[in-house]
């Protein structure tokens, strides 16, 4: 092997070793960074759990102080932003002041509310009650001085008496005996059958 080949082989071997060391260094740095991240996450979770536990212990102590009729002088600690919210319900606060009395509903508002309630619940009709007793008769009213309405027109009566038949003829009439006579239609009753003779005192008809 010549001297130049030896030098080229040495340089190549050196480059391979340097690349191997670089890759190993990157892997080592990645492992270290991952481990540090895991330690930081574990420490943060442990700190949050400890903070929550301390908050629960303080809340328990406050409840015990309230149960003994005392007022705690130490305020509750502010939870860490990274810690999960507490699942314990806090103590109820004191009732606020009563508000002003509202205005009475108007008859129109009551009618609207009743109509809406009836529409939502089907109907507003209760059960049928028992029939009541008959009341006393009222006093007789006074006679009215105003005439009532006209009744319906009755059927037409007979035109002619029995034994006669109505017949339309032409007659000459005038306003006076010396006046001018003029023809005009008129309805007259003509005999259609002889009238029955009147009975005598003996009961027999007169011939």
């Amino acid at each position: 092997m010549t001297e130049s080949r030896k030098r080229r082989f040495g340089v190549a071997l050196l480059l391979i070793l340097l690349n191997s060391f670089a890759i190993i260094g990157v892997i080592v740095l990645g492992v270290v960074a991952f481990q540090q991240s895991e330690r930081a996450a574990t420490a943060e979770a442990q700190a949050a759990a400890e903070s929550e536990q301390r908050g629960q212990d303080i809340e328990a102590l406050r409840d015990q102080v309230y149960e003994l009729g005392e007022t705690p002088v130490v305020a509750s600690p502010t939870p860490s932003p990274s810690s999960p919210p507490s699942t314990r319900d806090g103590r109820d606060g004191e009732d606020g002041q009563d508000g002003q009395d509202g205005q009475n509903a108007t008859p129109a508002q009551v009618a609207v509310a009743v109509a809406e309630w009836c529409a939502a619940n089907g109907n507003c009709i209760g059960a049928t009650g028992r029939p009541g007793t008959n009341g006393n008769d009222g006093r007789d009213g006074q006679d009215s001085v105003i005439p009532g309405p006209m009744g319906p027109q009755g059927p037409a009566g007979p035109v002619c008496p029995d034994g006669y038949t109505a017949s339309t003829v032409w007659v000459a009439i005038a306003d006076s005996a010396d006046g001018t006579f003029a023809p005009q239609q008129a309805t007259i009753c003509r005999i259609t059958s002889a009238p029955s003779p009147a009975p005598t005192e003996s009961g027999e008809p007169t011939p």
Side-chain angles (χ1 to χ4, degrees):
M1 179 181 293
T2 61
E3 189 66 25
S4 60
R5 288 183 177 180
K6 289 181 180 181
R7 283 197 298 270
R8 286 197 298 270
F9 179 77
V11 171
L13 182 60
L14 180 60
L15 292 175
I16 292 172
L17 292 175
L18 290 175
N19 289 333
S20 299
F21 284 130
I23 294 173
I24 293 173
V26 171
I27 294 174
V28 171
L29 290 176
V31 172
V32 172
F34 178 76
Q35 291 177 351
Q36 290 179 353
S37 177
E38 287 291 327
R39 292 194 188 98
T42 303
E44 184 178 358
Q46 185 176 0
E50 292 177 355
S51 176
E52 182 179 0
Q53 184 62 39
R54 285 196 301 271
Q56 293 178 356
D57 294 340
I58 292 174
E59 289 293 333
L61 291 175
R62 286 172 60 86
D63 292 342
Q64 292 178 2
V65 171
Y66 278 122
E67 290 176 357
L68 295 175
E70 300 294 336
T71 302
V73 296
V74 180
S76 300
T78 303
S80 175
S82 60
S83 62
S86 176
T87 57
R88 290 172 55 86
D89 294 335
R91 186 179 181 85
D92 296 336
E94 296 181 357
D95 296 337
Q97 296 181 354
D98 295 338
Q100 298 180 354
D101 295 337
Q103 298 180 355
N104 295 329
T106 62
Q109 292 173 339
V110 173
V112 171
V114 171
E116 291 178 352
W117 189 92
C118 292
N121 293 273
N123 54 27
C124 293
I125 302 176
T128 304
R130 293 180 299 176
T133 57
N134 295 330
N136 297 326
D137 295 337
R139 294 180 300 177
D140 295 337
Q142 299 178 354
D143 295 337
S144 175
V145 296
I146 301 174
M150 183 180 295
Q153 184 177 0
V159 178
C160 298
D162 293 340
Y164 292 85
T165 301
S167 177
T168 301
V169 297
W170 286 90
V171 295
I173 60 174
D175 294 336
S176 63
D178 298 332
T180 303
F181 288 85
Q184 184 176 349
Q185 283 187 342
T187 301
I188 62 175
C189 294
R190 291 182 174 180
I191 298 175
T192 56
S193 61
S196 301
T200 60
E201 294 182 357
S202 61
E204 296 179 358
T206 302

